[in-house]
Amino acid sequence: MHNCLFLLYKKRVNFVLFTLVLNNVILAFCWVYIRKFQSRQESEVVSTITAICALAIALITSALLPVDIFLVSFMKYPNGTYKEWAANNETRGQIEDTVLYGYYTLYSIILFCVFLWIPFVYFYYEERDDDNVNRCSQVKNALKYTVGFAIVCVVLLLIGAFVPLEPPPGQNSTQWEKVQYLFEELGSSHGLPALSFSISSLTLIGMLAVITYTAYGMSVLPLNLIKGTRSVQYERLENTEDIDDVELQIEKLKSKCKDGRPLSSRDRNNLQELEGKLQVLQRRGRHLEIAERNCCTKVGSALRPFKILLGIFFILVALLFTVALFISNLDKALHSAGISSGFIIFGTNLTNPLNELLLALQPVFPLDYILITVITMYFVVTSMAGIRNMGIWFFWIRLYKIRPKKTRPQALLFLCMILLLIVLHTSYMIYSLAPQYVMYGSQKYLVQSQMPSAGSTSGNATFATTRTCDADAPEDQCTVTRSYLFLHKFWFFSTIYYFGNWAFIGAFLIGLVVSCCRGKKSVIEGEVEADDSDLSDDEYVH
């Protein structure tokens, strides 16, 4: 017993050390990423710290799902028996509760960021744009707008505290009895359902962000790597020709007023447009000249074969995810209890390639955990790529552009808030891709069977066979991940997520077609644009 406690204590210490190292790596990445896109002229300490912390929270939360799957799998040996330190139900319960509290702690921090911290900092800098407002008035106005977000949060918490958790009767009562048991196991207090409802409401917004940004990022990122960029020498030559052409048109218009006659209103408008276009072309020429001398451009050309291979790998992964998601949704449509049950389904009835791949990698530790971690980070990276290429939009209005060294503090705060919402929905996306693995991990259990003894007429021999955990497994032999229980606490959210998956597949296919039809991007893509309308696009050339 003492040896088991010592091993458990040692594993906890190692896990804490691993967590600290992982958090430091995530913070370093967030600092580099924010500093890369942050405007040099408008950088502020408070907004920078807020953006770095919010992005770090998003990444740390996304890393919790692989940890959840690892812990439930680590409790058992490959032969299906519990390890000595996990043989006690109380010990397993403590570990499961630790993971559950980890989810609620991080999700509570996300609520605080989305409804209080980020809105306050955002409106504080929005008020700062007015030179006539002092700092005290900035704080008051920011608090005034933030109170509105806080009221929304309180309303969601109250609804979640009193909304009935009992699901409607389904076609398969046995399945619903299991669902009710799992929900009761998760907890019956009003505080946890309230938090869960608030997070699920934000996850709906995250679902829209995933359909918009992640789906597009999964198509545009690999195709940009495969197609590469245009030749900087050719772009400079083309830009020089455009400058000469615009200057010639300007000279023609100015020649009309050499004799002292004023230009017509139409000619004045044309002249103003041409002068603005000439300024943009001249700025573009300076950027191209810098890019041609930049060593990063030369290194990028040398790494071109590697980029092509990486792009092919990414597009294959995206297609694998799309096929797995389609099969999972089709499985739910055919074998679940229907729309009124939230399309909840136990196990898999159709062969899901990604789920089968994860199960096949289980014997080779820790390949399955590495793959689920890579899948999680893949969604985050493609989401970043989608936001980077599209910018931040409100319906048909583009609010901000995400550009290296020129992104406003408000845009970075929007970026981090969107990533927080996307990470909330990522767990359900991964569950849809590999439902059985996300539910049970690599757990196995023993099935006792009797066979007649050879050469004996008295009694039967008992044999134990190992099976992969699924919905038919005894409840005391397989531990369900806390993530699965959290995702399916409210059946009506699961129904909306199900239809959101179909929308995600459609958005990915549309984005893939659009990305294939577009040509190569410029080597200075996004640095100089004709429709620059916010301060993040100004170059501040003196």
Side-chain angles (χ1 to χ4, degrees):
M1 180 66 179
H2 291 289
N3 292 333
C4 295
L5 292 176
F6 175 75
L7 289 174
L8 180 59
Y9 173 77
K10 185 178 180 181
K11 293 180 187 301
R12 286 185 176 181
V13 171
N14 293 335
F15 179 74
V16 170
L17 293 176
F18 170 77
T19 303
L20 291 175
V21 173
L22 178 63
N23 289 344
N24 289 331
V25 172
I26 289 176
L27 285 173
F29 169 80
C30 294
W31 183 84
V32 173
Y33 185 83
I34 295 299
R35 294 293 294 175
K36 175 184 176 182
F37 289 97
Q38 188 178 49
S39 172
R40 295 177 179 178
Q41 289 76 20
E42 296 185 86
S43 61
E44 293 290 343
V45 176
V46 177
S47 65
T48 302
I49 294 176
T50 301
I52 292 175
C53 291
L55 183 58
I57 291 168
L59 296 180
I60 292 172
T61 305
S62 66
L64 191 58
L65 176 62
V67 173
D68 187 9
I69 297 173
F70 171 77
L71 288 177
V72 297
S73 303
F74 194 65
M75 295 179 184
K76 307 193 79 172
Y77 287 112
N79 61 5
T81 59
Y82 281 107
K83 295 181 179 180
E84 290 79 6
W85 59 269
N88 191 343
N89 288 334
E90 183 178 352
T91 303
R92 294 200 301 271
Q94 291 176 354
I95 296 175
E96 294 163 12
D97 290 341
T98 301
V99 176
L100 182 61
Y101 295 150
Y103 272 111
Y104 281 114
T105 300
L106 288 172
Y107 287 160
S108 298
I109 296 174
I110 289 177
L111 278 181
F112 173 74
C113 290
V114 172
F115 286 108
L116 295 175
W117 189 9
I118 295 179
F120 173 78
V121 178
Y122 175 84
F123 288 115
Y124 177 82
Y125 283 99
E126 280 292 299
E127 293 295 325
R128 187 185 170 189
D129 291 341
D130 190 352
D131 297 332
N132 297 325
V133 178
N134 56 35
R135 180 161 298 184
C136 184
S137 298
Q138 285 180 250
V139 174
K140 289 181 180 179
N141 292 332
L143 285 174
K144 179 178 63 176
Y145 293 117
T146 306
V147 167
F149 284 84
I151 292 175
V152 174
C153 182
V154 171
V155 170
L156 292 177
L157 290 173
L158 291 175
I159 294 175
F162 299 103
V163 69
L165 291 179
E166 296 296 330
Q171 300 175 6
N172 192 329
S173 59
T174 303
Q175 287 189 356
W176 276 117
E177 291 175 358
K178 292 184 178 181
V179 173
Q180 290 174 335
Y181 171 79
L182 294 177
F183 289 163
E184 292 172 359
E185 188 183 59
L186 182 61
S188 58
S189 64
H190 286 294
L192 297 186
L195 180 60
S196 178
F197 184 87
S198 301
I199 291 296
S200 298
S201 301
L202 290 181
T203 305
L204 290 182
I205 305 176
M207 180 189 72
L208 299 177
V210 166
I211 294 172
T212 304
Y213 294 110
T214 308
Y216 181 67
M218 286 175 58
S219 61
V220 71
L221 177 62
L223 290 178
N224 281 345
L225 289 172
I226 294 173
K227 292 187 292 187
T229 58
R230 301 172 63 190
S231 170
V232 64
Q233 292 85 3
Y234 177 78
E235 282 197 80
R236 285 196 67 188
L237 177 61
E238 187 180 61
N239 189 76
T240 302
E241 294 177 351
D242 291 339
I243 290 177
D244 294 338
D245 182 59
V246 172
E247 288 178 342
L248 181 60
Q249 295 182 50
I250 292 176
E251 288 298 326
K252 287 183 178 179
L253 285 176
K254 288 184 176 180
S255 64
K256 293 182 179 181
C257 60
K258 284 184 178 180
D259 55 357
R261 289 183 301 173
L263 291 174
S264 63
S265 59
R266 179 180 179 182
D267 288 338
R268 286 198 302 269
N269 292 334
N270 291 338
L271 181 61
Q272 187 176 2
E273 291 178 3
L274 289 172
E275 288 176 344
K277 184 178 179 180
L278 178 62
Q279 185 179 6
V280 172
L281 290 173
Q282 290 172 344
R283 292 173 56 200
R284 182 178 177 82
R286 291 194 295 270
H287 279 261
L288 288 171
E289 183 180 356
I290 295 173
E292 189 175 18
R293 297 196 307 262
N294 196 340
C295 61
C296 294
T297 305
K298 299 176 182 178
V299 172
S301 300
L303 296 177
R304 185 82 185 95
F306 174 76
K307 289 183 178 180
I308 294 176
L309 293 177
L310 189 62
I312 294 174
F313 171 75
F314 279 169
I315 196 65
L316 291 177
V317 171
L319 292 174
L320 173 64
F321 285 0
T322 305
V323 172
L325 190 61
F326 174 80
I327 293 176
S328 176
N329 263 25
L330 184 62
D331 195 3
K332 291 179 181 180
L334 296 177
H335 301 104
S336 70
I339 187 172
S340 61
S341 67
F343 293 97
I344 294 178
I345 189 172
F346 288 86
T348 55
N349 299 283
L350 301 178
T351 302
N352 189 314
L354 190 58
N355 194 82
E356 295 298 322
L357 177 61
L358 286 166
L359 295 175
L361 292 176
Q362 289 177 3
V364 187
F365 178 84
L367 290 183
D368 52 338
Y369 306 114
I370 293 176
L371 180 57
I372 198 69
T373 303
V374 170
I375 292 173
T376 303
M377 297 310 299
Y378 177 83
F379 277 112
V380 176
V381 171
T382 52
S383 300
M384 289 179 170
I387 299 173
R388 165 72 179 86
N389 284 271
M390 291 183 63
I392 299 173
W393 293 73
F394 182 75
F395 292 102
W396 58 88
I397 303 173
R398 181 159 67 175
L399 301 179
Y400 298 103
K401 303 172 188 176
I402 308 299
R403 305 170 67 185
K405 302 297 182 183
K406 296 182 180 181
T407 307
R408 300 185 67 187
Q410 295 94 322
L412 288 177
L413 294 173
F414 252 111
L415 166 67
C416 295
M417 181 179 286
I418 292 173
L419 286 176
L420 282 172
L421 298 175
I422 286 175
V423 165
L424 291 177
H425 190 68
T426 299
S427 296
Y428 186 83
M429 288 289 296
I430 297 177
Y431 164 74
S432 300
L433 292 172
Q436 184 177 355
Y437 184 82
V438 172
M439 190 173 179
Y440 294 106
S442 59
Q443 295 178 85
K444 293 180 172 60
Y445 69 101
L446 295 176
V447 178
Q448 304 292 338
S449 57
Q450 293 184 347
M451 295 182 62
S453 301
S456 174
T457 58
S458 57
N460 297 328
T462 301
F463 296 90
T465 57
T466 302
R467 293 184 183 177
T468 301
C469 284
D470 53 19
D472 298 326
E475 294 170 352
D476 60 340
Q477 290 295 315
C478 295
T479 304
V480 180
T481 60
R482 302 298 96 177
S483 173
Y484 176 82
L485 298 178
F486 190 89
L487 288 171
H488 295 85
K489 195 167 184 63
F490 298 95
W491 65 270
F492 42 86
F493 283 119
S494 299
T495 301
I496 300 175
Y497 299 155
Y498 167 79
F499 290 106
N501 285 345
W502 287 116
F504 176 86
I505 294 174
F508 168 75
L509 295 176
I510 294 174
L512 187 64
V513 173
V514 172
S515 300
C516 289
C517 295
R518 296 180 62 181
K520 293 182 179 181
K521 67 177 184 178
S522 171
V523 71
I524 57 169
E525 182 77 18
E527 294 185 20
V528 180
E529 295 182 5
D531 62 343
D532 290 346
S533 57
D534 54 44
L535 292 177
S536 68
D537 299 321
D538 293 340
E539 197 175 16
Y540 297 93
V541 178
H542 301 287

